[in-house]
Amino acid sequence: MGLSMLYRIFRCIEKKAKISYSQIEEVGNEPPLIVELLNNMEKLKPTRFTSHHLNVATSNFTHKLGAGGFGEVYKGSLPNGNSVAVKVLKGSSDEQIEAQFIAELSKIAIGMAKGIAYLHEDCQDRMIHYDIKPGYILLDQNFSPKVADFGLAKLCNRDATHVTMTIGRGTPGYAAPELGMPCPVTHKEEEELEVSLPESQEWFLRWVWNNLERGEMEEIVKSCEIEEEDSEILERMIMVAVWCVQYKPELRPCMSSVVKMLEGGIENILPPNPFAHLVARPSVMDW
Ligand SMILES: Nc1ncnc2c1ncn2[C@@H]1O[C@H](COP(=O)(O)OP(=O)(O)OP(=O)(O)O)[C@@H](O)[C@H]1O
C-alpha cells in the first residue's frame, strides 16, 4: 500500500507544484532562478504517511472509488484539503511487493535478451543495434519490453563474424570497449552491460567481481536489499551481467546463451575475471 499511495500523493503534489519553464528561464541578463528551482524541488519530495494518517484521511477506508487488478481504491482527504485516491494492494506485505517487482524485472530482462537474440541470431540478416541502453527499451501495458530506435543499426552478413565500422557508434558507458577502437567489431558488442560508480568511489564492477571471486555472492545480494527467497533470480542476473561485461568480445556469451542463463536453463558458471586483460591474456570460451 505504501508505494502505491506514495506515488498517487506524489502525482497530486507534483501537479500543484509543477515548475513552469518560464520560472527557470533567464530574465533579461539575470541568471536562472536556481534558488527558487531548488526550493520547488524540495517541495516535490514525496511525503511518507503512516497507516494512522491513512486511516484518518480515508475515514477508515469507507468511500470505495473502484478496484484494479492489484487492489481497491478509496477516496481520502489530506489535512490541507487536497483530495487523494488511496490504493490498498492485495496481500500487500513488503515482501510480496518486492517479489512481484523482482519477477517483473526478471521478465523484462529476459524479454529484452530474447529481442536482441532474435536480431543477432534468428532474423534473416543479422542486425546489430549498436545502441542498446535503458532509454531504448520501451514497455507496453503488460511490461513486455520492445527494443526501440534502430537509427544506428546495421544489417550484416550472417557468415561474417566481424563488422568493420567507419564511424564511432553507441553511447559511452553502454557501448562495448571495442566500439571506440579502429578495428572490426562483432555482434558481441551488445552483450556489454551498463556499469556505474557507487558513492563509495569503488568501481562497482570491481567490487562485484571481488565478491564473486571470493565466493561471497550473498554480499552482493545483501547490498541490493533483496529478501533471501528472491536471491536466486538476482544471482542469475549478476552472473549474466559479469559475463556480459567481459573486455574481450570472444569471452562474452551470445544472446541465446544469455536468454538460457537468465531463464535458469544453464547452470550459473563463474565468469572469468573481467579485469584479466589488465594483467594477462585470458583463455577463450566457446559460447
Ligand atoms: N484518482 C481517482 N479518482 C477516482 N477514482 C479513481 C482514482 N483512481 C482510481 N480510481 C478508481 O479505482 C479504479 C482502479 O484504479 P487503478 O488505478 O487501481 O486501476 P488499474 O491501474 O487498472 O489497477 P491495477 O494496476 O491494480 O490493475 C479505477 O477504475 C477508478 O474507478
Side-chain angles (χ1 to χ4, degrees):
M1 178 166 77
L3 276 180
S4 172
M5 212 283 302
L6 273 180
Y7 170 73
R8 276 155 208 276
I9 301 283
F10 180 82
R11 288 292 297 272
C12 166
I13 296 170
E14 186 189 30
K15 270 193 200 142
K16 270 184 83 74
K18 208 156 217 162
I19 306 156
S20 69
Y21 275 108
S22 59
Q23 280 176 277
I24 57 170
E25 271 169 10
E26 288 198 347
V27 182
N29 288 330
E30 294 294 314
L33 301 173
I34 297 293
V35 176
E36 196 178 338
L37 173 69
L38 292 176
N39 286 342
N40 278 331
M41 283 176 73
E42 186 65 17
K43 283 184 216 150
L44 290 178
K45 275 195 340 195
T47 313
R48 196 180 186 119
F49 293 88
T50 63
S51 3
H52 172 69
H53 286 139
L54 295 179
N55 281 331
V56 173
T58 59
S59 307
N60 291 322
F61 299 94
T62 43
H63 185 157
K64 187 170 152 185
L65 291 170
F70 290 108
E72 296 176 337
V73 179
Y74 295 87
K75 184 178 164 112
S77 181
L78 296 179
N80 65 5
N82 279 347
S83 293
V84 288
V86 178
K87 184 162 179 174
V88 182
L89 295 178
K90 276 187 218 157
S92 59
S93 75
D94 284 351
E95 288 76 23
Q96 280 167 313
I97 296 170
E98 184 180 282
Q100 196 183 343
F101 175 73
I102 293 177
E104 288 293 351
L105 201 64
S106 165
K107 204 179 95 185
I108 292 168
I110 292 171
M112 185 187 136
K114 281 183 175 168
I116 305 172
Y118 171 77
L119 297 176
H120 287 181
E121 300 170 37
D122 293 331
C123 66
Q124 198 172 2
D125 288 309
R126 169 173 290 153
M127 194 180 288
I128 306 182
H129 184 283
Y130 282 112
D131 205 12
I132 295 290
K133 58 183 175 182
Y136 291 160
I137 306 299
L138 309 182
L139 301 177
D140 68 12
Q141 71 270 32
N142 300 316
F143 290 103
S144 292
K146 317 280 172 199
V147 180
D149 201 326
F150 285 71
L152 297 181
K154 189 167 173 171
L155 284 176
C156 330
N157 184 326
R158 194 163 286 288
D159 301 328
T161 53
H162 289 67
V163 181
T164 304
M165 297 212 329
T166 49
I167 51 162
R169 291 184 191 228
T171 305
Y174 296 101
E178 63 271 19
L179 277 178
M181 296 176 187
C183 60
V185 298
T186 76
H187 63 283
K188 299 284 187 76
E189 68 94 358
E190 307 206 316
E191 279 90 69
E192 269 273 328
L193 295 181
E194 174 189 8
V195 291
S196 58
L197 275 173
E199 280 174 352
S200 67
Q201 295 300 307
E202 188 179 0
W203 188 4
F204 183 54
L205 177 58
R206 194 176 281 278
W207 178 83
V208 169
W209 170 249
N210 287 343
N211 279 294
L212 274 188
E213 200 179 24
R214 286 197 297 265
E216 291 173 0
M217 171 68 95
E218 65 280 3
E219 281 300 309
I220 310 172
V221 173
K222 208 163 72 190
S223 77
C224 301
E225 296 177 12
I226 294 295
E227 294 295 317
E228 186 71 36
E229 309 85 82
D230 307 316
S231 63
E232 198 195 317
I233 302 178
L234 195 69
E235 285 177 19
R236 277 206 296 271
M237 287 189 184
I238 292 165
M239 288 291 199
V240 171
V242 178
W243 272 110
C244 291
V245 293
Q246 294 295 316
Y247 185 79
K248 296 266 177 192
E250 60 270 29
L251 288 173
R252 289 176 224 143
C254 62
M255 286 312 294
S256 52
S257 298
V258 168
V259 172
K260 281 189 201 141
M261 282 193 271
L262 288 172
E263 288 183 326
I266 299 181
E267 200 192 327
N268 277 347
I269 307 168
L270 184 69
N273 178 355
F275 303 100
H277 63 287
L278 298 176
V279 284
R281 190 179 165 76
S283 60
V284 173
M285 294 288 290
D286 182 22
W287 284 102

